[in-house]
Amino acid sequence: MKIVIGGDSGYDMHFKEIGDSFGPIDLAILENGQYDPQWKYIHLAPEEVLMAAKDLKAKRVFPVHNSKFKMANHAWDDPMRKVTEFNKSYGIPRLAPRIGETVFLKDCNQLFSNWRETLS
């Protein structure tokens, strides 16, 4: 498998360079949380997660670094809500397990509950 773990990284051309050199990527694990315009060089905003996944030619995206606690000036569940909404136009298969749930990296058909999307 080809897996990219993005770490804390702002959106830029490095994702496209990786995708062009090593893509397609089987799974892109990208941080999606604690974003703010002042942190654009170290954190991805929700739509940038999907832009990066597209640039990587990712077959699936696993947004991480979200829905645990609030550090930035947005609601704690805002990053996952927004990446879910934006992904309606990108259509990249997304992993969204409950915190602590086992993820089978090679199982492209693994299903997860919509627990994050149903939070109020």
Side-chain angles (χ1 to χ4, degrees):
M1 286 186 76
K2 292 182 187 176
I3 298 175
V4 168
I5 302 173
D8 286 344
S9 172
Y11 181 74
D12 207 331
M13 62 192 305
H14 55 278
F15 291 109
K16 182 162 180 20
E17 291 170 357
I18 294 168
D20 288 345
S21 296
F22 302 103
I25 301 300
D26 295 302
L27 179 61
I29 303 172
L30 301 171
E31 57 94 5
N32 171 46
Q34 310 309 329
Y35 60 90
D36 184 277
Q38 294 179 0
W39 304 337
K40 68 181 182 177
Y41 299 111
I42 59 170
H43 288 269
L44 295 171
E47 188 167 19
E48 292 172 331
V49 170
L50 299 166
M51 292 165 47
K54 182 179 175 186
D55 288 351
L56 291 165
K57 301 175 184 161
K59 296 176 185 174
R60 297 183 299 153
V61 62
F62 187 174
V64 297
H65 196 194
N66 61 63
S67 304
K68 295 168 190 75
F69 59 89
K70 182 180 184 280
M71 185 175 84
N73 293 319
H74 55 69
W76 70 274
D77 60 346
D78 182 68
M80 189 55 82
R81 286 183 184 275
K82 285 187 176 176
V83 83
T84 300
E85 183 63 31
F86 290 132
N87 199 31
K88 290 176 182 175
S89 63
Y90 284 86
I92 302 170
R94 175 184 58 95
L95 284 71
R98 179 180 294 274
I99 295 169
E101 186 175 357
T102 300
V103 174
F104 299 100
L105 299 179
K106 292 184 178 183
D107 184 354
C108 295
N109 298 310
Q110 184 177 4
L111 298 176
F112 302 98
S113 68
N114 289 330
W115 72 277
R116 294 180 189 208
E117 288 81 5
T118 59
L119 296 173
S120 57

